[in-house]
Amino acid sequence: MWLVGLLVLPLLGGLFPLLAAPGTARAASGCSGRPAKTVAFSTGELRVYKTRAHACAVTVAKKPGKRRTMSVTLQARGGRAVSDKGSYTKMAGPVTVNALNRCVRATGAIGKKSVSTGWILC
C-alpha cells in the first residue's frame, strides 16, 4: 500500500502548476496580473502589470549580470509613490500599489538611463 502512495504522490505534485490561476504572469517579473504596459529603453524595460485592484511594476535589465544601480517607482493617482532602488544584477522591484479605479504612473531607471509612463490605466 505504501508503494502506491510513493507512485501517486509525484503524479499529484505535477498537477499543482496546472492549477494556478489563469491569466497571471509571474515568471520573470515577480508581479501577478496581466501585462498592461511595457516601455523599452536603451538599458532595459519598465514593465507594468494590472490586476483588478492592484498595479505592479518592475524594471528589468536588457543585459543582466553586472551589478548596477536600478530603480522602479509606482504611484497611484492621489496616493504615495512606492519605490525600490538599489544595486541589482537583473531587476528592480516588484513594487505594488492599490489601484482600484485609479490611474497609475511608473518610472524605471538603470544606471543613468530612465523612462516614465505618464498616467496610464485610467
Side-chain angles (χ1 to χ4, degrees):
M1 192 66 170
W2 63 272
L3 184 58
V4 172
L6 288 175
L7 294 174
V8 172
L9 190 60
L11 293 174
L12 290 176
L15 291 176
F16 286 114
L18 299 175
L19 299 176
T24 59
R26 287 191 62 92
S29 73
C31 288
S32 63
R34 64 175 172 78
K37 180 92 170 170
T38 301
V39 183
F41 58 110
S42 62
T43 54
E45 287 183 342
L46 171 64
R47 298 177 187 168
V48 180
Y49 296 83
K50 178 80 169 111
T51 65
R52 182 178 173 277
H54 296 90
C56 180
V58 294
T59 300
V60 181
K62 188 180 279 187
K63 295 181 180 177
K66 190 171 87 173
R67 189 167 289 278
R68 56 200 150 170
T69 302
M70 295 185 197
S71 68
V72 61
T73 303
L74 184 62
Q75 179 182 13
R77 185 167 277 172
R80 288 188 174 195
V82 178
S83 63
D84 177 32
K85 181 178 181 180
S87 182
Y88 303 112
T89 58
K90 182 180 180 178
M91 178 176 77
V95 292
T96 303
V97 296
N98 189 359
L100 183 63
N101 299 322
R102 294 198 289 176
C103 304
V104 297
R105 67 178 169 192
T107 303
I110 299 175
K112 294 183 180 182
K113 305 291 183 176
S114 67
V115 69
S116 181
T117 63
W119 292 108
I120 59 171
L121 308 179
C122 297

